[in-house]
Amino acid sequence: MLGADFEVHESASREEGLHLVRDIGDFDVAIVDMRWRKNGLEASISGQEAIRALRHSSPALGIVAHGERPERHIANAAMQAGASAYVARTAGPAHLRRAVAAAAAQESFVDPAVPPKGSRGKLTRRQRQILQLLADGESTTVAARQLDLSEETVKSHTKHMLVRLGARNRTHAVAIALRECLID
């Protein structure tokens, strides 16, 4: 999609992309896949971690975060980590080109399909916090203690989270959240 307008170099992993930017250092824009993925047997660094590392390594680099869906919380997380632009996979080629051009010009761009600021996402911030703790293997009791909530409140948030995600159980909710980049 970008080959006609840009010289494109692809990397197999975020780590490899970081090495390219650090070692070669002659890039104007990096596109970071925000989806969770494995790097061999180990989990790859997250998209947010990659963006922060790229920004630290090359402050003038334009960074486009490429997310699974046009969701506000993913766009916010990417921009807070240091991305110049955010575009979802569901966007057409024109939006991807606009995002890359904006990042190259050190301008901001957010996929127009991303809901406006202040709109509610699929999960509340608290539900994402609880889901992240569950994904990290913590129990309801530990989640309640870490978030300074009662266990009943955590259970209530979990129940609502399952409904919002259309998940059968907590494990299914974690799988959905990882696939949709709702948690790291």
Side-chain angles (χ1 to χ4, degrees):
M1 249 191 297
L2 298 171
D5 300 321
F6 302 95
E7 182 180 335
V8 177
H9 297 273
E10 292 186 52
S11 63
S13 68
R14 292 184 189 113
E15 291 82 1
E16 183 182 315
L18 282 169
H19 290 298
L20 280 173
V21 169
R22 287 180 185 150
D23 296 344
I24 298 172
D26 190 26
F27 294 97
D28 297 319
V29 176
I31 300 175
V32 178
D33 187 349
M34 297 299 288
R35 291 180 300 174
W36 182 86
R37 59 177 43 177
K38 284 191 169 246
N39 182 16
L41 299 176
E42 299 176 11
S44 176
I45 62 172
S46 74
Q48 290 175 18
E49 291 169 322
I51 291 168
R52 281 191 284 276
L54 286 166
R55 179 64 56 221
H56 178 74
S57 176
S58 182
L61 181 69
I63 301 172
V64 176
H66 197 219
E68 191 66 28
R69 292 188 170 75
E71 295 197 25
R72 170 62 46 200
H73 69 276
I74 300 171
N76 284 345
M79 300 298 261
Q80 287 172 359
S84 310
Y86 176 83
V87 66
R89 290 191 183 309
T90 55
H95 283 93
L96 179 59
R97 281 193 286 281
R98 282 181 53 201
V100 170
Q106 297 298 315
E107 297 173 357
S108 294
F109 175 85
V110 176
D111 187 330
V114 170
K117 287 183 180 179
S119 64
R120 292 179 59 109
K122 195 173 214 175
L123 295 178
T124 66
R125 181 180 59 81
R126 182 64 83 190
Q127 288 169 340
R128 282 196 304 276
Q129 288 173 328
I130 291 168
L131 190 54
Q132 183 66 58
L133 289 168
L134 296 176
D136 292 340
E138 303 297 350
S139 66
T140 299
T141 304
V142 172
R145 193 176 325 118
Q146 285 190 10
L147 298 172
D148 197 27
L149 300 170
S150 73
E151 285 187 47
E152 288 305 312
T153 300
V154 171
K155 288 177 182 177
S156 177
H157 280 299
T158 302
K159 179 180 160 187
H160 290 97
M161 170 181 45
L162 294 175
V163 170
R164 282 188 177 199
L165 292 174
R168 295 182 301 276
N169 53 42
R170 292 169 14 156
T171 304
H172 189 214
V174 167
I176 291 168
L178 286 171
R179 187 174 51 244
E180 296 186 10
C181 300
L182 299 173
I183 58 175
D184 292 327

